[in-house]
Amino acid sequence: MRKLSRDEWVAGAFEALVDGGIDALRVEPLAKRLGVTKGSFYHHFDNRRALHLALLAGWEAIGTSQIIDGVGEAAVGPAEQLRVLAHRTMQVDPYSDAIENAIRAWAATDEVVAEAAARVDATRLDYVAGLLRSIGLPAPLARRRSNMLYRILIGEFMWRRAGGPATTKREIDEIVDLLIQPTT
Amino acid sequence: MRKLSRDEWVAGAFEALVDGGIDALRVEPLAKRLGVTKGSFYHHFDNRRALHLALLAGWEAIGTSQIIDGVGEAAVGPAEQLRVLAHRTMQVDPYSDAIENAIRAWAATDEVVAEAAARVDATRLDYVAGLLRSIGLPAPLARRRSNMLYRILIGEFMWRRAGGPATTKREIDEIVDLLIQPTT
DNA sequence: TGTCGACCATACGCCACCGTATGGAGGCGA
DNA sequence: TCGCCTCCATACGGTGGCGTATGGTCGACA
């Protein structure tokens, strides 16, 4: 008889989220995938909602730091840091694409999720805006440009998830070059 | 006793799609919303899938032309046309946001939907790229810039849907100005 | 005014899933 | 070895939704 920890359930839930979205994340099918019965699930969680919230908490924890961590060490100047950041976040990763999209779509119908997503977005945007200011853009312009880059990112995730071709490395460089322009 | 046409069912389905996504689009609740029973539904449609496909066909029909139609009359030069196009598509419309996102999220798990979305995307992208070429950008650059703008659009839809503040008119102008730059 | 067809209500069987209740297996300390 | 605690299997009732079968209503039209 296999024994699972709570974290293993959450990890399995992320897998299920990837190929089906939050609505397809049901406890009995998930239990079958994990090789146990739902008796295990209801030992670790009060109900289905509790699993969803655990999932959300996990995403928020890694979603905030994952992208930013290590950028400062990987590159020296702010312009190069921005470039590294862009390449890292836009690299092809179907797993991340699916999760990011699933959470964001979920946010449309769940206030708690929307708030968590807003926190993650704010952290990322602040970081990028700070980089742009370091490059020399005035604060309001830096803010607008970071918003622009962030929309490109979200769009890229969703675009790829729907089956579209990924943005190439060369195009990413071009985007960064364009965004750090002080004027139009 | 109320009587509905097939189109009224589709229209109702769009409403339901807006506040819940494709998974929440179920025939019995929808029938209740429309003030009839599912007896009516199964008179007009073979099954739930048929409604989904009708929905998809409706979206593809309007999604391709809706944005483009009338732009040629509303502005003279290609640069101004692009500006008009950007303002039109990015204007705040929670209804469109929801549908666009729902379809795109749906495309991640349904091949038929993914193909329809790809057709719509290709049409829109071709149009924007053509505008950029008319402005004077070389074809490959025009293609890359249109991809960029399109990602911003998708990102904007999803961003707003998740509760974020909309891009202002001034920012939209700035984006267009940046994208029609011949070089970085 | 009778008939026909379009449209819908109702009732039914079926299935997937939720959450609960209960007991059983197995490790672990006293 | 005994009892306990953690983790899970099993069985159950309940709910919501799918699709079908069947009959009823109402307007159009001859």
Side-chain angles (χ1 to χ4, degrees):
Chain A
M1 187 176 69
R2 209 171 147 210
K3 294 206 174 190
L4 298 180
S5 69
R6 190 177 210 267
D7 286 344
E8 288 176 282
W9 271 99
V10 175
F14 269 110
E15 300 283 345
L17 183 68
V18 166
D19 47 54
I22 195 70
D23 285 308
L25 183 47
R26 275 141 205 286
V27 354
E28 279 171 323
L30 180 55
K32 182 170 287 183
R33 272 174 57 138
L34 293 176
V36 291
T37 67
K38 62 178 172 171
S40 171
F41 177 85
Y42 286 99
H43 173 75
H44 292 291
F45 300 91
D46 281 348
N47 48 36
R48 188 165 168 256
R49 176 70 177 172
L51 175 63
H52 287 168
L53 293 182
L55 215 57
L56 184 64
W59 174 77
E60 186 172 354
I62 64 169
T64 303
S65 58
Q66 188 188 42
I67 294 177
I68 297 173
D69 283 359
V71 170
E73 289 74 33
V76 283
E80 196 57 32
Q81 285 181 6
L82 185 62
R83 200 175 307 275
V84 168
L85 184 70
H87 276 100
R88 281 197 186 176
T89 53
M90 294 192 71
Q91 71 183 357
V92 178
D93 180 1
Y95 193 84
S96 295
D97 289 353
I99 292 178
E100 193 78 18
N101 282 319
I103 300 273
R104 217 165 278 279
W106 183 18
T109 57
D110 191 316
E111 193 57 36
V112 175
V113 182
E115 288 168 7
R119 282 192 296 271
V120 171
D121 291 341
T123 305
R124 293 174 177 174
L125 283 169
D126 286 347
Y127 185 79
V128 173
L131 245 38
L132 288 169
R133 281 197 305 275
S134 300
I135 291 173
L137 300 191
L141 183 61
R143 173 59 59 185
R144 296 197 298 275
R145 290 289 167 81
S146 61
N147 283 338
M148 201 167 151
L149 178 59
Y150 202 60
R151 276 158 179 75
I152 292 177
L153 272 179
I154 298 176
E156 174 76 10
F157 287 146
M158 195 152 206
W159 169 266
R160 288 199 302 237
R161 179 72 174 143
T167 297
T168 65
K169 288 184 181 301
R170 186 170 168 283
E171 287 175 298
I172 296 172
D173 283 333
E174 194 178 355
I175 290 170
V176 173
D177 288 340
L178 203 56
L179 290 179
I180 63 179
Q181 289 290 106
T183 63
T184 59
Chain B
M1 188 176 69
R2 207 168 148 211
K3 293 206 175 191
L4 298 180
S5 70
R6 189 184 156 99
D7 285 345
E8 288 176 281
W9 271 99
V10 175
F14 269 110
E15 300 283 345
L17 183 69
V18 166
D19 47 53
I22 195 69
D23 285 308
L25 183 48
R26 278 146 202 285
V27 354
E28 279 172 321
L30 179 56
K32 182 170 288 183
R33 272 175 55 139
L34 292 176
V36 292
T37 67
K38 63 179 172 172
S40 170
F41 177 85
Y42 286 100
H43 173 76
H44 293 291
F45 301 91
D46 281 348
N47 47 38
R48 186 166 170 255
R49 176 71 176 171
L51 175 64
H52 286 168
L53 294 182
L55 214 56
L56 185 63
W59 175 76
E60 186 172 354
I62 64 167
T64 302
S65 59
Q66 187 189 41
I67 294 176
I68 296 172
D69 284 359
V71 170
E73 290 73 33
V76 283
E80 196 56 32
Q81 285 180 7
L82 185 62
R83 200 176 306 275
V84 168
L85 185 70
H87 277 100
R88 283 196 187 176
T89 54
M90 293 190 73
Q91 71 184 357
V92 178
D93 180 2
Y95 193 83
S96 295
D97 289 353
I99 291 178
E100 193 79 18
N101 282 319
I103 300 271
R104 218 165 277 281
W106 184 18
T109 58
D110 192 316
E111 193 56 37
V112 175
V113 182
E115 289 167 8
R119 284 191 296 272
V120 171
D121 291 342
T123 304
R124 293 174 179 175
L125 283 169
D126 287 347
Y127 184 78
V128 173
L131 246 36
L132 288 169
R133 282 197 306 276
S134 299
I135 291 173
L137 300 191
L141 182 60
R143 173 59 58 186
R144 296 198 298 276
R145 290 289 167 81
S146 61
N147 283 336
M148 202 168 149
L149 178 58
Y150 202 60
R151 277 160 179 75
I152 293 177
L153 272 180
I154 298 175
E156 175 76 9
F157 287 147
M158 193 150 207
W159 170 265
R160 287 199 300 237
R161 180 69 174 145
T167 298
T168 65
K169 289 184 180 301
R170 187 168 167 282
E171 288 175 299
I172 297 172
D173 283 333
E174 193 178 356
I175 290 170
V176 174
D177 288 339
L178 203 57
L179 289 179
I180 63 179
Q181 289 291 104
T183 63
T184 59

